[in-house]
């Protein structure tokens, strides 16, 4: 991926939710309302809901309309709304009239990128913590002669500790660049900002040995725990899906007393993980997870 193409693609992703759409001059309000109702039939929006949306066109960006609709209890993700308006634009019902400058994102999240999950190393290769010996035992042991160990053996023993850092360097440059674009476009932060129930997001390979990107808010979750749980769940769910002729695995929802863990496969044998608090409604959780997944998938697939 060339630097020029990457820069253009980054701007494209950054600006689209800040675009302002307006009804085309030759389309009257009732015609546009009826068109949206037919287009969004499966979402079961009321006519009043659609009127709220139409009345905001021309004044507010995709991002602003999404937030205002949520305040009214109408659940859209930014990706949902942008996709709808682009379909209407392709059919001539709306047009883009301007692009607003992005506003600062208020969500405060702890972010990490390209971190190695040491706990994912096979058990036989993990360093073992040896408890301290009593002083009298140490005194006896100190009098026992210790044979000289060749330097090659010492080097071999320490390569396991150094290996995880090398694993990060082995990530293909194209994937590193795509993950950088995901981070720079602040896709994940945007979903944190519009969904107070979203507590954690991570992207990792199916092997779970590296966390490509992880962000947390108000939770204390170790990358290793996320990786271990996610890769195990996805692996077994994929096996079940294949063995029962259900087709390819799409999304998994794990319901627990304290919240929901939602997982999905991404292009390139990657896994997307999101943690939501137990107070979230299922509809809001699914809409935002799917929006997040679709935006990240677009970057991973098309650049």
């Amino acid at each position: 991926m060339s630097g020029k193409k990457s820069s253009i693609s980054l701007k494209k992703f950054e600006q689209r939710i800040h675009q302002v759409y307006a009804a085309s001059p030759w389309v009257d309000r009732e015609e546009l309302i009826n068109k949206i109702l037919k287009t969004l039939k499966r979402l079961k929006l009321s006519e009043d809901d659609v009127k709220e949306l139409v009345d905001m066109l021309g004044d507010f960006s995709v991002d602003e309309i999404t937030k205002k609709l949520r305040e009214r209890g109408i659940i859209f993700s930014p990706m949902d709304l942008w996709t709808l308006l682009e379909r209407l634009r392709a059919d001539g019902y709306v047009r883009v009239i301007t692009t607003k400058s992005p506003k600062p994102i208020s969500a405060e999240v702890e972010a990490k990128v390209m971190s190695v999950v040491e706990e994912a190393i096979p058990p036989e290769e993990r360093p073992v913590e040896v408890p301290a010996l009593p002083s009298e035992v140490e005194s006896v042991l100190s009098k026992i002669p210790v044979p000289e160990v060749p330097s090659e053996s010492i080097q071999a023993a320490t390569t396991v500790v150094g290996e995880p850092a090398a694993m990060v360097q082995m990530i293909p440059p194209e994937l590193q660049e795509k993950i950088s674009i995901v981070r720079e476009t602040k896709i994940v932060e945007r979903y944190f900002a519009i969904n107070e129930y979203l507590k954690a997001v991570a992207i990792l390979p199916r092997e779970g040995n590296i966390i490509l990107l992880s962000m947390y808010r108000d939770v204390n979750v170790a990358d290793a725990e996320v990786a271990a749980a996610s890769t195990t769940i996805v692996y077994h769910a994929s096996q079940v899906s294949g063995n029962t002729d259900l087709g390819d695995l799409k999304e998994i929802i794990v319901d627990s007393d304290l919240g929901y863990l939602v997982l999905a496969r991404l292009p390139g044998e990657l896994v997307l993980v999101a943690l939501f608090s137990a107070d979230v409604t299922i509809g809001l959780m699914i809409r935002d997870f799917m929006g997040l997944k679709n935006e990240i998938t677009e970057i991973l697939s098309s650049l």
Side-chain angles (χ1 to χ4, degrees):
M1 191 190 316
S2 68
K4 183 177 180 180
K5 180 178 178 182
S6 173
S7 176
I8 293 173
S9 299
L10 176 58
K11 293 300 179 184
K12 166 190 162 189
F13 283 107
E14 284 181 332
Q15 76 170 15
R16 63 184 181 182
I17 71 160
H18 303 294
Q19 293 177 160
V20 177
Y21 292 79
S24 298
W26 54 85
V27 177
D28 63 43
R29 184 171 181 272
E30 290 304 317
E31 185 180 1
L32 180 55
I33 290 172
N34 289 332
K35 174 64 176 179
I36 295 176
L37 283 170
K38 291 178 181 178
T39 305
L40 295 179
K41 191 174 182 180
R42 64 184 181 83
L43 293 183
K44 299 179 180 179
L45 293 181
S46 70
E47 186 172 343
D48 287 340
D49 293 340
V50 176
K51 287 179 180 178
E52 293 276 4
L53 192 164
V54 170
D55 289 342
M56 286 186 274
L57 295 177
D59 295 320
F60 302 102
S61 67
V62 173
D63 184 51
E64 290 170 331
I65 293 176
T66 300
K67 293 173 182 175
K68 289 180 178 296
L69 289 175
R70 285 173 179 242
E71 291 171 1
R72 294 166 168 79
I74 306 169
I75 300 173
F76 267 101
S77 73
M79 190 65 171
D80 288 333
L81 186 56
W82 179 81
T83 302
L84 166 66
L85 293 172
E86 280 295 295
R87 288 176 63 182
L88 294 174
R89 186 167 75 95
D91 292 338
Y93 285 84
V94 301
R95 58 201 176 102
V96 176
I97 59 173
T98 188
T99 300
K100 291 191 174 184
S101 299
K103 294 181 179 179
I105 297 174
S106 59
E108 295 183 3
V109 294
E110 177 188 353
K112 290 184 279 185
V113 181
M114 305 289 183
S115 59
V116 176
V117 181
E118 295 182 357
E119 286 80 352
I121 302 172
E124 64 274 10
E125 297 182 6
R126 298 178 191 172
V128 178
E129 183 178 346
V130 181
L133 295 173
S135 56
E136 59 271 18
V137 176
E138 283 192 348
S139 176
V140 174
L141 291 177
S142 64
K143 299 175 182 178
I144 302 176
V146 179
E148 183 178 351
V149 180
S151 59
E152 304 84 48
S153 300
I154 298 175
Q155 179 62 34
T158 57
T159 51
V160 174
V161 178
E163 191 174 2
M167 290 165 59
V168 173
Q169 297 177 359
M170 290 173 60
I171 301 172
E174 296 82 2
L175 178 56
Q176 292 191 39
E177 189 168 0
K178 290 176 181 180
I179 294 298
S180 294
I181 291 177
V182 173
R183 185 178 72 254
E184 291 172 26
T185 51
K186 297 187 180 299
I187 293 172
V188 180
E189 289 96 326
R190 282 199 283 105
Y191 280 89
F192 272 106
I194 65 173
N195 192 328
E196 62 181 309
Y197 305 105
L198 179 59
K199 298 300 180 183
V201 172
I203 301 175
L204 61 152
R206 287 186 64 187
E207 294 79 11
N209 51 2
I210 298 172
I211 296 290
L212 299 172
L213 183 150
S214 63
M215 295 184 184
Y216 305 98
R217 174 174 60 189
D218 303 330
V219 290
N220 184 18
V221 181
D223 279 344
E225 295 172 0
V226 172
S230 304
T231 53
T232 301
I233 292 168
V234 170
Y235 172 78
H236 287 291
S238 298
Q239 291 288 98
V240 171
S241 181
N243 293 340
T244 54
D245 296 326
L246 293 176
D248 291 335
L249 176 68
K250 290 187 177 180
E251 293 82 37
I252 305 168
I253 299 176
V254 180
D255 183 2
S256 69
D257 291 337
L258 299 179
Y260 299 92
L261 187 67
V262 191
L263 308 97
R265 294 175 64 176
L266 294 171
E269 293 299 302
L270 301 179
V271 175
L272 173 65
V273 186
L275 177 65
F276 292 85
S277 72
D279 297 327
V280 70
T281 62
I282 298 297
L284 177 61
M285 178 181 72
I286 292 175
R287 294 315 309 168
D288 280 354
F289 181 81
M290 293 303 299
L292 180 62
K293 174 191 171 186
N294 289 339
E295 290 199 52
I296 294 174
T297 294
E298 190 173 354
I299 290 179
L300 296 177
S301 300
S302 63
L303 300 183

